[in-house]
Every structure is written in C-alpha cells, then in structure tokens.
Amino acid sequence: MPALTPPRRNSPPTFNAQERFSFDASREQFRGPKRYRAAWISDAHLGTRGCNATALLDFLRETDFDTLYIVGDLIDIWSLRRAIYWPQQHNDVIQKILRKARKGARVIYIPGNHDELVTSFCGVYGNIEIAERAIHMTASGERILIIHGHELDTVVQNVKWLAFAGDLGYQFLLSLNPLINFVRRRFGLGYWSLSAYAKRTVKDAVSFIGKFEAAVAHYAERYHVDGVLCGHIHSAAIREFGRVAYYNCGDWVESCTSLVEGDDGAIALVHYHPHAASGRAGTPGIDSARPKETLVTG
C-alpha cells in the first residue's frame, strides 16, 4: 500500500481511491496476504441476514496484522434473541479470527451495544483481550482511544426500547434491498442500498451522524489522546475535530470497510465492494468482493 498520512493539523484531508484487485486478475498473481501493523473492524453483526460474511472473510484471508481490534457488534445478540440465524460462513469468520490469534496476532475485542453481554468476560485469554476501551499507540507515536461509540449514543443509553425499534426499522430496510436490486438488475442497473440512501439523505440521520462524530471527538479529549476510533453508526470516516483526529471503521453489513495502520503509523480506510460484480454478496463460489483502498493524504 502506498505511503499514507492521516489528517494533520491545519490541512484538510482529501480523498481518492485506487483499485487494488480486478475481476480479470487471477489469484496466482498475488503473493500472500498484505501485512499491516494494526487493523480495525466493527459492526459485522454476525447472526443477521444483513451480515456480509463473504467480504469479511476475504478481508481476513487477504490481510495479516500484528494487532486486530474488533470494535464492537461482532455478534448481533439482539437479533439472535429474536430468531436464530447462524450459517457456516458466520462460524468461519469466528474461526478465522481465532486462527489469527493462535498464529500470534493480538486480538482486542471491545464489545458494543449489540454484543454487550461479552463485557461480562473482560480479561485476557492468551492472545485475545476483551476490554471496554483501549489505547492504541501508532508507530508514529500518536495515542488513539478505541471505543465502540454507543457510550455517546443517548438513545442507546437512555431509551433502550427506541434503540430496539430503530434496529428493527434498519433491518426492515435491509430486507428490502434484495428485491430492489433484483428489479434493478433486470434493467441493467448496479447495486443500490435503500438503507444506506436513507442514512445519507434523511435530515435527522445526517444531523445525528454529525453530532455523534463531534461528541465522540470531544469525549476523547478527557483521555488526552491524539485521536479516537469507533464504529457503531455504520459510517466510515477519517476527520479532524480541532486537535483530535476522528476515525470510524464503518461496518460489514453494507459499506464493508476497515481501517489499517502501516509500519509508518499512517491509518487508511480499506473498502471492499461485495456487490460490484454480481449483486449477490455472500454467494458461495463467486468472487464477489472488490477490495479498494481509500487513500487519505494531508
């Protein structure tokens, strides 16, 4: 991956994209997985039909790291309480993470609101650590606070029933995506997500995301860190709020994004596009993931 730099003071970040794989290239062209100093994933929501386990498995197979941070909502216990859904691919994700730990990778699991039961097991288990928050020191010496982010979500913390209702509404919008895209494919159109569109365009949703990001950055100041990294809102981003850098590693439901740190301490957003080729993410035997790296330069 080319040298990257995170957003710096008094230098507005710019974004561009560079395609790393193409569907015409054979697997033999690639010499093993890419290695990073650290990687962050969040909001996989294993146990739901919306989880894009195929893309996540591709990422884990094609990437090695010294430290993997799981930034909450790996398993959607809220959904599993309503109905059991656990296909083999979801089990494969768990097994792949455990295999990474057995081979020497340090795995730090920070539970979110959908898997908050895991908080009861905080502690160190070999190369796996479960903690409510963590501080990551980058190779360039910057201290990054790692939290899931639900701590700053007043709806989750104070109005639990409304949070559950919002989750049901989001799952409903996700369930409409296959039908919508079946029709779109008939007309030769590409993948489009109703739930992602609503999140980007509904005024209240856009306002919530903006306020959430600012609140998380302000919260991080009490820890005297250079940046804060979270998940929760399924909206990947690298931004600057005053003297605090804000990072969000997105989700593995729609955007399929991860943050990675190179040996120089630069943090970049890696974006997999599971619907680009066939519109059928998660179909066994179909290489439907198109990884891209979103480069951030300052």
Side-chain angles (χ1 to χ4, degrees):
M1 185 177 68
L4 308 175
T5 56
R8 299 296 180 185
R9 311 296 176 245
N10 303 319
S11 177
T14 59
F15 297 84
N16 54 46
Q18 174 184 344
E19 185 164 315
R20 180 157 61 94
F21 292 134
S22 73
F23 287 99
D24 296 327
S26 66
R27 292 281 181 177
E28 287 73 23
Q29 295 178 12
F30 310 114
R31 297 183 179 178
K34 298 197 71 171
R35 172 166 285 279
Y36 297 101
R37 187 171 182 271
W40 294 264
I41 61 173
S42 74
D43 296 273
H45 291 274
L46 298 171
T48 68
R49 297 182 185 277
C51 170
N52 220 309
T54 296
L56 180 51
L57 277 171
D58 281 345
F59 170 75
L60 293 172
R61 287 168 181 150
E62 296 164 2
T63 308
D64 277 336
F65 27 73
D66 299 330
T67 304
L68 172 65
Y69 289 90
I70 301 173
V71 194
D73 289 357
L74 175 66
I75 301 172
D76 196 321
I77 296 174
W78 288 10
S79 179
L80 291 173
R81 283 171 173 168
R82 296 192 294 264
I84 299 298
Y85 177 76
W86 195 263
Q88 182 60 43
Q89 281 186 320
H90 292 206
N91 199 58
D92 291 344
V93 170
I94 299 295
Q95 292 299 322
K96 191 65 176 176
I97 292 172
L98 293 175
R99 191 173 298 115
K100 295 277 191 184
R102 287 197 301 271
K103 290 184 176 180
R106 184 185 179 202
V107 176
I108 300 177
Y109 186 174
I110 298 169
N113 52 307
H114 285 256
D115 53 7
E116 59 189 346
L117 287 178
V118 180
T119 306
S120 304
F121 302 94
C122 284
V124 179
Y125 309 90
N127 278 350
I128 299 176
E129 178 182 350
I130 301 174
E132 293 187 37
R133 64 186 63 85
I135 299 288
H136 175 78
M137 181 74 74
T138 69
S140 57
E142 294 188 336
R143 299 175 72 246
I144 309 290
L145 172 67
I146 316 295
I147 59 175
H148 177 63
H150 65 294
E151 304 92 328
L152 282 301
D153 188 337
T154 56
V155 172
V156 170
Q157 294 301 317
N158 301 320
V159 194
K160 291 279 188 180
W161 69 267
L162 187 56
F164 281 109
D167 179 60
L168 286 172
Y170 181 65
Q171 294 297 330
F172 173 72
L173 291 180
L174 282 174
S175 70
L176 296 179
N177 284 343
L179 176 60
I180 292 172
N181 286 286
F182 173 79
V183 175
R184 287 177 61 84
R185 286 196 299 272
R186 292 291 181 177
F187 289 93
L189 301 174
Y191 179 83
W192 182 81
S193 170
L194 173 62
S195 49
Y197 174 79
K199 186 170 62 177
R200 288 194 307 267
T201 58
V202 175
K203 182 178 179 180
D204 287 346
V206 174
S207 176
F208 167 78
I209 291 174
K211 291 178 180 178
F212 174 85
E213 293 175 343
V216 168
H218 180 70
Y219 172 81
E221 291 178 352
R222 69 180 68 178
Y223 291 90
H224 306 288
V225 293
D226 301 293
V228 58
L229 189 151
C230 65
H232 185 54
I233 59 172
H234 296 209
S235 184
I238 299 179
R239 307 192 197 286
E240 191 90 351
F241 287 89
R243 295 181 297 174
V244 177
Y246 168 87
Y247 303 91
N248 193 302
C249 45
D251 68 281
W252 291 90
V253 176
E254 292 183 291
S255 61
C256 298
T257 50
S258 171
L259 288 166
V260 294
E261 179 197 354
D263 289 334
D264 59 354
I267 297 177
L269 188 66
V270 177
H271 190 181
Y272 275 62
H273 294 284
H275 305 285
S278 65
R280 295 177 60 198
T283 303
I286 296 179
D287 183 13
S288 58
R290 295 187 66 184
K292 294 193 175 204
E293 293 178 350
T294 300
L295 311 186
V296 183
T297 58

